[in-house]
């Protein structure tokens, strides 16, 4: 039977790629998104978009009462680490209330499966080695803390109500749909790869490299850039695990690349110089964040197919070149 999923934040970057992956395998998708950060055009034909905020609990109840659901995937969130350091209580309240309210609604409507878009920011004090699921949680920001609050609520939803969940902690989501249908368009854009590409295309001032005095080989921060389509695949595999039990997975390639290595990759792929200056460190940035994703690989067979950094950049470059204004206005 055709499966049916509700996807909150399905008009956003990772959410839209997951919607595409679910739709590609024939599932029926309803997206609920307030379009404050998401884009109408990021919801591919075939998925239905409901423009609503999760704080509208009457609307949410009405949607969940519309027949049978095989699960809910929750992406809708305020998601800027830096902004959360300046507006901590807005992040804690809005993200936690939306997430916990949604979990409560799922329990009331008898939903059996839930997937949470979580984050490597849970590991704010990680010491540099690959980060597995059993590394101590110490969120690096109120954004990360808000995701941790939702993860904890899911634990209780499982214990007390049998709601099974997958808590997926993304490292650095990057790249764009290899078929060219979707891409990355945050406003404002704060993520490294789209900023480097726009600097190379002369669409922005030179990139600011946030610190070159970290304890890393070239002094710049190291991150684990994981292709958004590989992340999407992980959601599909994690959903299949939920018939048996809840799961928690860290999602990355296990490969670290420095900011300067990302700049070099963009120069190779785009054939242009990337103008940049070295600026101060950005508060809250750990030197190294690299995932140990052995658990999801072992339990689900997940194998990233787009792990090569140049390939990740190539897909991002292709979308940006074709869509200089992203999804438009
Ligand atoms: N970064 C940078 N300049 C920028 C944006 C990001 O040097 O204009 C660095 C940032 O300090 C971090 C890496 O690039 O080390 C990735 O940052 P991003 O914001 O993309 O993701 P995050 O690691 O914060 O999730």
């Amino acid at each position: 039977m055709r499966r049916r999923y509700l996807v909150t934040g399905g008009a956003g970057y990772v959410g839209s790629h997951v919607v595409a992956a679910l739709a590609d395998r024939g599932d029926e998708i309803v997206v609920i998104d307030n379009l404050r950060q998401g884009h109408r055009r990021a919801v591919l034909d075939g998925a239905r978009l409901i423009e609503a905020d999760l704080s509208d609990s009457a609307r949410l109840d009405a949607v969940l009462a519309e027949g049978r659901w095989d699960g809910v995937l929750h992406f809708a969130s305020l998601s800027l680490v830096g902004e959360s350091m300046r507006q901590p209580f807005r992040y804690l309240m809005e993200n936690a209330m939306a997430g916990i309210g949604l979990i409560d609604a799922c329990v009331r409507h008898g939903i059996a499966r839930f997937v949470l878009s979580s984050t490597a920011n849970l590991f704010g004090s990680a010491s540099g080695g690959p980060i597995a699921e059993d590394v101590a949680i110490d969120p690096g920001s109120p954004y990360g803390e808000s995701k941790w609050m939702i993860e904890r609520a899911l634990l209780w939803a499982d214990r007390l109500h049998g709601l099974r969940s997958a808590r997926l902690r993304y490292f650095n989501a990057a790249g764009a749909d290899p078929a060219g249908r979707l891409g990355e368009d945050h406003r404002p854009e704060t993520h490294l790869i789209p900023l480097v590409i726009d600097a190379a295309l002369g669409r922005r001032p030179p990139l600011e490299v946030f610190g070159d005095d970290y304890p890393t080989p070239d002094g710049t921060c190291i991150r684990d850039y994981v292709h958004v389509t590989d992340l999407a695949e992980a959601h599909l595999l994690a959903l299949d695990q939920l018939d048996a039990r809840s799961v928690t997975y860290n999602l990355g390639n296990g490969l670290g690349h420095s900011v300067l290595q990302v700049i070099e990759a963009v120069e190779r792929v785009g054939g242009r110089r990337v103008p940049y200056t070295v600026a101060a460190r950005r508060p809250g940035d750990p030197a190294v964040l690299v995932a140990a994703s052995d658990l999801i690989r072992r339990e689900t067979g997940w194998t990233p197919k787009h792990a090569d950094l140049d390939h990740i950049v190539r897909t991002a470059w292709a979308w940006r070149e074709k869509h200089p204004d992203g999804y438009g206005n």
Side-chain angles (χ1 to χ4, degrees):
M1 193 161 52
R2 199 172 176 216
R3 282 160 294 193
R4 192 160 173 265
Y5 294 105
L6 180 67
V7 182
T8 79
Y13 174 46
V14 181
S16 63
H17 284 79
V18 173
V19 168
L22 290 165
D24 285 349
R25 73 172 190 183
D27 295 344
E28 182 185 341
I29 311 300
V30 177
V31 168
I32 184 163
D33 198 301
N34 63 16
L35 298 182
R36 268 195 307 187
Q37 296 155 88
H39 307 278
R40 191 178 297 280
R41 287 164 57 196
V43 180
L44 295 178
D45 292 345
R48 176 175 144 221
L49 170 65
I50 296 172
E51 188 178 343
D53 198 280
L54 290 179
S55 63
D56 184 349
S57 51
R59 189 79 192 275
L60 181 62
D61 271 328
V63 172
L64 287 172
E66 273 178 19
R68 178 190 61 87
W69 295 98
D70 291 287
V72 169
L73 294 89
H74 179 45
F75 298 90
S77 172
L78 300 170
S79 60
L80 300 177
V81 170
E83 186 179 68
S84 83
M85 300 291 269
R86 296 187 296 275
Q87 303 176 14
F89 306 116
R90 176 174 169 230
Y91 267 69
L92 292 172
M93 285 192 284
E94 278 193 34
N95 282 354
M97 262 153 57
I100 297 170
L102 178 65
I103 294 166
D104 176 38
C106 286
V107 167
R108 283 187 285 103
H109 288 271
I111 309 280
R113 297 180 202 84
F114 191 103
V115 178
L116 174 67
S117 160
S118 188
T119 173
N121 194 266
L122 298 187
F123 306 105
S125 55
S127 61
I131 300 170
E133 291 77 5
D134 58 358
V135 166
I137 303 292
D138 181 18
S141 70
Y143 163 68
E145 189 73 45
S146 70
K147 292 287 184 178
W148 180 231
M149 290 162 78
I150 303 170
E151 287 202 13
R152 294 294 301 173
L154 283 170
L155 184 122
W156 288 106
D158 186 347
R159 274 188 197 159
L160 302 177
H161 298 287
L163 173 66
R164 301 253 169 76
S165 60
R167 299 163 279 234
L168 304 181
R169 288 97 171 247
Y170 315 149
F171 281 63
N172 287 62
D177 175 36
R181 298 170 295 178
L182 301 164
E184 181 167 13
D185 181 3
H186 295 104
R187 313 213 181 164
E189 189 55 76
T190 62
H191 295 100
L192 182 65
I193 291 178
L195 290 176
V196 177
I197 290 174
D198 273 6
L201 291 170
R203 305 184 117 255
R204 279 184 195 270
L207 179 87
E208 288 188 324
V209 173
F210 296 147
D212 66 352
D213 56 351
Y214 284 95
T216 61
D218 67 21
T220 65
C221 286
I222 292 178
R223 293 289 179 273
D224 185 338
Y225 296 92
V226 51
H227 198 285
V228 66
T229 299
D230 286 329
L231 286 182
E233 175 72 19
H235 290 70
L236 272 48
L237 294 167
L239 268 173
D240 293 340
Q241 297 290 306
L242 298 184
D243 291 336
R245 71 215 153 92
S246 292
V247 292
T248 302
Y249 295 133
N250 289 1
L251 295 178
N253 290 313
L255 299 169
H257 294 286
S258 72
V259 175
L260 293 184
Q261 286 175 322
V262 169
I263 290 174
E264 286 161 17
V266 170
E267 290 182 336
R268 274 194 303 276
V269 166
R272 306 195 192 200
R273 304 297 303 169
V274 173
Y276 70 87
T277 59
V278 175
R281 290 183 177 196
R282 184 172 66 177
D285 273 343
V288 182
L289 278 178
V290 176
S293 295
D294 311 48
L295 189 64
I296 185 170
R297 287 170 186 261
R298 199 167 58 236
E299 291 188 350
T300 73
W302 183 62
T303 312
K305 297 184 183 73
H306 307 280
D308 176 64
L309 181 63
D310 283 20
H311 173 66
I312 291 174
V313 167
R314 211 171 289 121
T315 60
W317 180 283
W319 192 78
R320 199 71 197 163
E321 216 179 18
K322 249 194 165 159
H323 304 271
D325 298 316
Y327 288 106
N329 295 317

